[in-house]
Amino acid sequence: MDKKYWRSLNELHSTPEFQEILDREFPVAASEYPEGVSRRRWLQIMGASVALAGVSGCRWEDEKISPSVSRPEGLIPGMPQKYATFMELGGLAESLLVTCYDGRPIKVEGNPDSPQSKGASSVFAQSETLSLYDPDRAVGVVERRDGGRYARDWQAFFEYSDSVLGQAKKDGGAKVCVLADVSSSAARKGLQEKFATLFPKSQWYDYTACSRDNVYAGSKLAFGEVIRPHFDLSKANIVVCLDEDLLSEHPAALLHTRDWAARRDPAAGEMNRLYAVESRFTTTGLAADHRLPTRSVDLGFFLTKLENQVQGLLSGKKSEAAGDSYAEKVLAAMAEDLVANQGMSLVAIGAGQPAELHAQVHALNERLGNVGKTIRYTKEPLARDISSVDALAKLTAEMQSGAVDTLVIIGGNPAYNAPGDIDFVTALTKVPNSIHLGEYEDETSLLCKWHLPKTHPFEQWGDARSYDGTLCVAQPLIEPLHDGKSEVELLAMLCGEKHPSTLELIKEAVKGSLDPMAVNASWRRLVHDGVLKGSTLDAVSPKAKTLPPAKTAEAATEEFELVFYPSPQVYDGRFANSGWLQETPDNLTKVTWDNAAIIAPSTAKSLGVEFGSVVKLILDGKSLELPAYVLPGQAPNSIAVALGYGRTAAGLVGGDVARDVAPVGENIAALQSKGKTDFATGLKVEKTNKQYELAITQDHHSIDTVGVGEIQGRVGQLVREGDVSEYKKDPSFAKGRTHHPELKSLWEELSYEGQAWGMSVDLTKCVGCNACMVACQAENNVPVVGREQVINSREMHWLRVDRYFTGDDVDNPGVSIQPMFCQQCELAPCEQVCPVAATVHTDEGLNDMVYNRCVGTRYCANNCPYKVRRFNYFNYNKVYEDPNRKLQALVLNPEVTVRHRGVMEKCTYCVQRIKAVQIEAKNEQRPIEDGEIVTACQQACPAKAIEFGDLNNEKSLVAKAHANPRSYAVLSELNIKPRTAYLARILNPHPSLAKPSTEGHGYGEQHADADHQEKTEKH
């Protein structure tokens, strides 16, 4: 059976827009600025991110970044050092290992000692060095009064706060409120309690735009107390996700991905099976063996039907024959699998679903015997008396009534991301004394009387807990660049400490977790490791309560719903000024620099809407216009929009209206309301007859009509996949997916006697999370080009993650993904056409670039069949030559050359890391151990889908991967001998849902011997 692959609806239907891409060999003349983009905006885009020109006036006030007069003991200039720290998001810590050169952090990795991440890292963590050196960060204390902005110092602020809080003490702080971002810091909690003692009538509220309040409320319904569920995917044969993205959006996503991927090797034992029932395409849905698009509002109805089928099977009732619809077949297979794998399965439901459904899922897992095996429970440390949104609504009402005289806002940006029916902005203007501690002068700071600069996570001491409860400690890797103070430091000062030591505050807060017989030694070990081993939360065994009968009413199928979700790139908007993240394509839509209304093809057809059409979304009397993205696999009549966009005071990258920089995307929070922050029904959609061009990357690199025809014919050879039954029948089936005559080379082939570097990518494990892409950008000084240049196909990423849809059902297609980078071909076609030998081969088999030789003919890019070479149309790095703009240059990796205009660049297998280990091994007169060299993409990957090493070492993991029966080389029929091997993707479908296996090659056009002969004669 032939399997059809396509990258987008434009390609599937061969639209005029797609044909326009094919009609030009190269995008737009290299010497031109994109039409409609001023030189000023171009410099803004270049200047506020990695390759971005900074803002004048960024200065360090007191501290100088310069060599030490006396070299510290053990410090060798130019030698990288690694320090453990963490970043906190949503009140949970992600433990990190940060590489520093001569006192400046330049690269982030996951902490291998962390049981929660096991050395993997998220895209947000990878971008933290860029935010550290962001020239738009707030510089110094600022006071706003009488319509003016005045630079102040901390002494001036403390004189003000002493006066205001001293007056407030007289009535116990009755009109004092604190609004804080969520945190699991013990030090902050201790200071919060001290503040409450000093101001007993004050109020403290926690607020985050991306809360897990439904999870908390659901466990309280189920058990009578707030409980945190922990999933062990390494023990689960069957995983069912109901609107839950366990592999990306869940706080323990890194661990879940690692554990899930560990069960995806068909040669290592029984594979797990993953079901996803969801309204929008998530990373989990992409990886699923079976995916069912379903509106979020219909999940309750689906869950009730699943419960009934499971209960029937558990009671010995014979399963009824599944109906004809795909949904009924999936439901029947799911129930059968869950009952057949009692104690070895788990059901998870998303944080956006109502509390009642969470309680139902707890009861279902209990009934299936999963609790204590694949699921364990602990107390919930982040539980609060009221939900995050209720807290903000209550505070806003108090501010409106005049009951708040002093408001201290610690982190967060509620003026931007408050739901539309909570008028926090107006209420804030009625507070006489408002103070905001933040890294940026953002939307909230602009409305406050005082703005206080907050330290970056890499500039402070701190403590927090990861999702499993592991205690994490942060240490300052660099002095505060902008005179900032941490949350802990500010709270200590507001509590009366004039010169608090944050080191001592953190140490005292975690002292109870340290070895009482050796406090100092265990503290030093904790700081060194970054995590305290054995400090996970203790398991509890809550007693389930009897739940009322579940509601079974199904919502009207023709009703539209609007789904809100945190952006995989900018989260809730806090990362909006990161050029790295803004330019990272969404793993499904491939959209950059924007959010869009994601609509199913059938829904778009009924509305008369096409890709790029601007639609008006109307909900509860409020409206917003957004471009439509018609995405195969989106649930019909469900429209999804990412949060975190439409910032008006993010900076020169994310949007700053005060400096004439338009917001990136639209702020969808305006359509949220109390009780409807996750999804809402009653949505109306109207056409506007406007068009908007989205900056997407998926259709790039289709050179011409002949080329796209070849791509469509070969996709089944590029992305090779089968199911378990096909693998068991023939483990090396992937090698038979392409056919060619005997390959003969025109050149004398080289032999590699020493080391021969190679890589492998396991497509069964890869989930397309983009961590590898951002890690590569951070490691290799890859520049940001901006939205307009992405539209012109000029993005510079060395690594891309291709996404292909499969099948004929555009409303429920399959999806295949494939990371693609330079394959380091031994008979590289790029080398054969370069007129100046700028791309050459090394004696270790690497395809190297000699930048000083490159004259920019782009012949190599034309001749590269993988389309992985990137050309510098502009001198993106000229900014670093300006002596007044040194701050941005600190983010550059000194081990990697910075490229200039007119030069071609590409993946190098992180040759700088190879050389560093080779030099160290040579100095120590020892061989290089397998696994000692780790590329940036490999290190970041949470699924361990990438292996790298010496192919001449038969015992190396990469050599074993190349020898794996599933291993194949992309475009091997061209006889270019790529050094990167892919392991074919293996799915594990339920037998009743498995599609007929492919006979013979079965992909694309027929390619028998006669066909080769015919093609030869034509040429």
Side-chain angles (χ1 to χ4, degrees):
M1 182 185 75
D2 288 350
K3 196 171 186 180
K4 188 173 186 178
Y5 289 80
W6 34 282
R7 296 187 294 179
S8 66
L9 289 173
N10 281 342
E11 179 177 319
L12 179 67
H13 302 305
S14 192
T15 62
E17 293 79 8
F18 186 72
Q19 287 299 320
E20 183 183 349
I21 294 173
L22 304 181
D23 288 341
R24 55 181 190 250
E25 180 181 9
F26 293 109
V28 181
S31 61
E32 297 175 357
Y33 282 103
E35 184 178 351
V37 179
S38 68
R39 181 177 181 275
R40 179 187 180 200
R41 177 57 178 154
W42 176 245
L43 289 176
Q44 287 170 345
I45 289 294
M46 289 179 63
S49 200
V50 186
L52 306 150
V55 212
S56 60
C58 285
R59 299 283 191 274
W60 304 282
E61 295 193 350
D62 297 312
E63 298 295 335
K64 305 290 184 186
I65 299 178
S66 57
S68 304
V69 175
S70 299
R71 183 172 50 137
E73 183 180 353
L75 177 64
I76 302 174
M79 288 296 290
Q81 293 181 306
K82 295 181 183 292
Y83 298 94
T85 186
F86 70 81
M87 68 170 290
E88 190 176 20
L89 192 61
L92 298 167
E94 180 178 345
S95 186
L96 306 172
L97 208 57
V98 181
T99 301
C100 297
Y101 273 88
D102 297 334
R104 62 184 176 97
I106 59 105
K107 185 67 177 67
V108 176
E109 310 293 355
N111 188 345
D113 291 333
S114 168
Q116 192 63 42
S117 68
K118 298 184 178 179
S121 54
S122 66
V123 293
F124 303 126
Q126 287 291 333
S127 71
E128 279 299 277
T129 51
L130 183 61
S131 65
L132 173 63
Y133 303 117
D134 188 348
D136 286 326
R137 282 181 62 197
V139 180
V141 177
V142 172
E143 181 186 9
R144 284 184 171 83
R145 58 182 174 83
D146 302 327
R149 178 186 182 279
Y150 305 95
R152 299 288 189 245
D153 57 21
W154 282 99
Q155 183 59 37
F157 168 73
F158 290 128
E159 290 175 1
Y160 165 82
S161 63
D162 286 347
S163 172
V164 169
L165 294 178
Q167 187 67 26
K169 268 189 179 180
K170 295 178 181 179
D171 61 355
K175 289 193 171 185
V176 175
C177 288
V178 178
L179 178 62
D181 200 359
V182 179
S183 176
S184 57
S185 168
R188 199 186 89 166
K189 186 176 181 180
L191 289 166
Q192 177 182 342
E193 293 170 354
K194 184 176 181 180
F195 189 87
T197 302
L198 293 171
F199 304 94
K201 294 183 180 179
S202 66
Q203 297 291 324
W204 183 293
Y205 301 99
D206 287 329
Y207 172 72
T208 176
C210 301
S211 75
R212 296 181 60 79
D213 289 323
N214 289 336
V215 181
Y216 307 154
S219 65
K220 192 164 187 176
L221 275 177
F223 307 114
E225 57 182 324
V226 183
I227 297 296
R228 177 181 290 182
H230 301 260
F231 304 112
D232 189 346
L233 272 66
S234 68
K235 296 179 181 177
N237 294 338
I238 304 298
V239 180
V240 175
C241 292
L242 306 176
D243 241 3
E244 171 68 293
D245 190 359
L246 284 181
L247 304 185
S248 180
E249 293 176 16
H250 191 278
L254 295 176
L255 178 63
H256 291 163
T257 303
R258 181 65 56 89
D259 288 347
W260 171 84
R263 294 287 307 275
R264 299 301 287 185
D265 185 351
E270 183 182 3
M271 290 178 65
N272 56 23
R273 181 173 298 140
L274 175 59
Y275 292 89
V277 184
E278 57 190 17
S279 59
R280 60 182 181 85
F281 237 131
T282 65
T283 299
T284 300
L286 185 152
D289 296 291
H290 298 295
R291 179 181 180 273
L292 181 63
T294 304
R295 287 185 308 173
S296 292
V297 72
D298 294 330
L299 255 294
F301 184 69
F302 180 91
L303 176 58
T304 299
K305 291 202 295 184
L306 176 62
E307 278 186 307
N308 292 338
Q309 289 214 20
V310 167
Q311 186 58 44
L313 291 172
L314 288 174
S315 61
K317 185 179 177 182
K318 241 184 176 183
S319 60
E320 299 177 6
D324 293 332
S325 73
Y326 179 71
E328 291 175 332
K329 291 178 180 177
V330 169
L331 180 66
M334 189 185 295
E336 180 184 321
D337 269 342
L338 288 172
V339 173
N341 290 273
Q342 296 177 59
M344 296 179 292
S345 61
L346 65 86
V347 182
I349 190 164
Q353 287 293 324
E356 295 78 11
L357 301 192
H358 283 268
Q360 279 183 256
V361 168
H362 286 304
L364 180 57
N365 279 313
E366 184 79 36
R367 208 170 302 147
L368 289 168
N370 296 329
V371 178
K373 297 174 182 177
T374 60
I375 300 171
R376 71 181 184 93
Y377 295 121
T378 65
K379 296 288 187 181
E380 177 53 73
L382 296 179
R384 298 180 299 275
D385 293 333
I386 59 174
S387 71
S388 190
V389 173
D390 286 343
L392 186 66
K394 183 180 178 183
L395 172 62
T396 302
E398 292 175 354
M399 291 158 62
Q400 290 276 20
S401 68
V404 180
D405 275 350
T406 302
L407 175 64
V408 181
I409 305 175
I410 301 175
N413 189 5
Y416 158 74
N417 55 30
D421 65 340
I422 299 178
D423 193 0
F424 183 83
V425 171
T426 301
L428 185 56
T429 61
K430 297 182 178 181
V431 178
N433 305 299
S434 52
I435 302 160
H436 184 221
L437 176 73
E439 287 187 53
Y440 296 83
E441 286 191 59
D442 55 26
E443 292 85 346
T444 301
S445 283
L446 294 178
L447 297 172
C448 289
K449 186 169 183 179
W450 287 85
H451 168 77
L452 310 177
K454 184 172 178 279
T455 49
H456 185 275
F458 296 168
E459 298 173 334
Q460 64 188 24
W461 287 99
D463 74 293
R465 298 267 179 173
S466 57
Y467 187 79
D468 66 351
T470 297
L471 175 62
C472 303
V473 164
Q475 58 182 311
L477 311 178
I478 191 171
E479 285 288 331
L481 297 174
H482 304 302
D483 197 24
K485 297 197 182 297
S486 67
E487 295 181 5
V488 168
E489 196 171 2
L490 175 64
L491 280 171
M493 291 176 170
L494 294 180
C495 289
E497 298 185 39
K498 294 300 181 184
H499 304 288
S501 167
T502 49
L503 167 59
E504 292 303 322
L505 288 169
I506 300 301
K507 187 176 179 180
E508 183 63 29
V510 304
K511 191 175 180 179
S513 301
L514 303 178
D515 182 356
M517 302 302 293
V519 172
N520 289 333
S522 57
W523 164 256
R524 287 194 295 271
R525 171 53 61 184
L526 172 57
V527 172
H528 176 272
D529 294 346
V531 295
L532 183 63
K533 295 177 181 177
S535 59
T536 56
L537 296 170
D538 293 330
V540 296
S541 301
K543 293 183 179 180
K545 297 169 61 179
T546 302
L547 298 176
K551 298 177 183 178
T552 57
E554 187 175 13
T557 56
E558 69 279 359
E559 188 176 32
F560 290 131
E561 71 171 8
L562 181 59
V563 176
F564 309 94
Y565 67 96
S567 165
Q569 284 71 40
V570 298
Y571 192 59
D572 61 356
R574 69 185 65 197
F575 300 106
N577 212 49
S578 171
W580 287 353
L581 295 179
Q582 288 280 13
E583 201 152 290
T584 299
D586 181 270
N587 61 347
L588 262 301
T589 66
K590 299 302 175 184
V591 170
T592 65
W593 294 97
D594 255 314
N595 58 345
I598 300 175
I599 303 176
S602 59
T603 304
K605 185 177 180 181
S606 67
L607 291 170
V609 170
E610 298 178 348
F611 183 92
S613 300
V614 177
V615 295
K616 178 182 282 189
L617 306 180
I618 306 170
L619 185 64
D620 296 335
K622 294 168 289 185
S623 64
L624 192 70
E625 291 187 358
L626 278 167
Y629 188 105
V630 183
L631 179 68
Q634 176 72 10
N637 293 343
S638 179
I639 297 174
V641 183
L643 298 166
Y645 292 86
R647 293 285 308 276
T648 58
L652 292 179
V653 172
D656 191 339
V657 294
R659 289 186 278 179
D660 198 27
V661 178
V664 174
E666 298 291 339
N667 184 6
I668 195 66
L671 297 187
Q672 290 180 303
S673 59
K674 185 181 174 184
K676 295 181 179 180
T677 56
D678 301 297
F679 65 88
T681 55
L683 175 71
K684 294 180 180 179
V685 184
E686 294 181 358
K687 292 175 60 177
T688 64
N689 297 320
K690 301 176 187 175
Q691 289 293 126
Y692 181 86
E693 187 172 13
L694 290 164
I696 59 172
T697 62
Q698 185 60 38
D699 285 335
H700 294 177
H701 318 301
S702 301
I703 295 302
D704 52 31
T705 306
V706 175
V708 77
E710 285 297 309
I711 288 174
Q712 290 175 343
R714 293 178 190 240
V715 171
Q717 302 167 35
L718 305 179
V719 185
R720 304 182 192 181
E721 57 184 31
D723 60 29
V724 173
S725 62
E726 187 175 4
Y727 172 80
K728 289 179 178 178
K729 184 178 179 182
D730 178 13
S732 59
F733 73 92
K735 291 180 171 61
R737 290 287 169 85
T738 185
H739 182 81
H740 49 72
E742 182 183 357
L743 299 175
K744 295 183 179 180
S745 175
L746 297 175
W747 293 270
E748 181 181 347
E749 297 186 27
L750 300 175
S751 60
Y752 300 92
E753 304 301 329
Q755 283 139 340
W757 305 115
M759 183 176 280
S760 68
V761 181
D762 192 340
L763 298 181
T764 304
K765 296 180 178 181
C766 178
V767 298
C769 66
N770 284 331
C772 55
M773 180 180 286
V774 182
C776 173
Q777 185 157 24
E779 171 75 18
N780 294 295
N781 302 334
V782 176
V784 172
V785 300
R787 178 180 181 275
E788 293 79 10
Q789 296 302 301
V790 173
I791 290 174
N792 289 330
S793 305
R794 293 176 179 169
E795 66 270 18
M796 296 298 294
H797 294 123
W798 288 7
L799 187 161
R800 70 176 189 269
V801 182
D802 287 337
R803 179 264 294 135
Y804 299 94
F805 293 111
T806 66
D808 295 316
D809 185 359
V810 295
D811 277 323
N812 189 19
V815 176
S816 298
I817 54 172
Q818 183 176 53
M820 183 57 64
F821 32 75
C822 176
Q823 304 289 291
Q824 307 291 338
C825 309
E826 291 186 10
L827 300 177
C830 53
E831 296 176 13
Q832 300 160 15
V833 295
C834 181
V836 293
T839 176
V840 293
H841 233 64
T842 71
D843 56 4
E844 295 175 344
L846 294 181
N847 175 239
D848 275 0
M849 278 296 305
V850 185
Y851 297 124
N852 284 347
R853 291 182 188 169
C854 183
V855 294
T857 63
R858 293 180 286 177
Y859 294 162
C860 56
N862 250 358
N863 219 38
C864 174
Y866 306 102
K867 300 305 168 195
V868 290
R869 287 178 161 264
R870 301 290 174 259
F871 184 71
N872 284 271
Y873 284 92
F874 296 94
N875 186 4
Y876 303 110
N877 300 299
K878 187 176 181 179
V879 58
Y880 302 131
E881 300 170 10
D882 188 338
N884 293 321
R885 293 172 176 170
K886 292 182 179 179
L887 179 60
Q888 305 91 293
L890 295 178
V891 78
L892 294 175
N893 185 350
E895 298 293 325
V896 179
T897 305
V898 176
R899 287 77 62 187
H900 292 273
R901 182 183 183 183
V903 171
M904 191 68 68
E905 58 185 72
K906 64 169 189 70
C907 166
T908 65
Y909 271 178
C910 288
V911 66
Q912 68 278 3
R913 295 193 175 198
I914 297 174
K915 294 302 179 186
V917 174
Q918 285 178 330
I919 292 170
E920 181 181 343
K922 183 179 179 181
N923 290 341
E924 296 174 1
Q925 298 182 344
R926 60 172 178 82
I928 296 174
E929 299 292 331
D930 182 43
E932 193 174 357
I933 301 173
V934 182
T935 63
C937 55
Q938 176 188 9
Q939 196 159 9
C941 180
K944 288 189 73 68
I946 301 173
E947 297 291 353
F948 178 82
D950 183 5
L951 293 174
N952 283 344
N953 178 4
E954 294 181 357
K955 296 182 180 180
S956 68
L957 291 176
V958 71
K960 292 177 180 177
H962 276 241
N964 190 301
R966 290 190 288 132
S967 173
Y968 71 95
V970 172
L971 298 179
S972 59
E973 64 272 22
L974 300 181
N975 197 31
I976 50 183
K977 298 184 183 291
R979 280 284 181 88
T980 299
Y982 291 86
L983 273 62
R985 184 188 187 203
I986 306 297
L987 294 171
N988 184 24
H990 187 279
S992 68
L993 297 172
K995 297 179 180 178
S997 61
T998 309
E999 297 295 335
H1001 299 298
Y1003 284 76
E1005 299 178 11
Q1006 297 298 317
H1007 36 271
D1009 287 336
D1011 190 37
H1012 287 296
Q1013 180 65 32
E1014 180 186 354
K1015 290 184 178 180
T1016 303
E1017 290 172 356
K1018 286 181 180 179
H1019 288 289

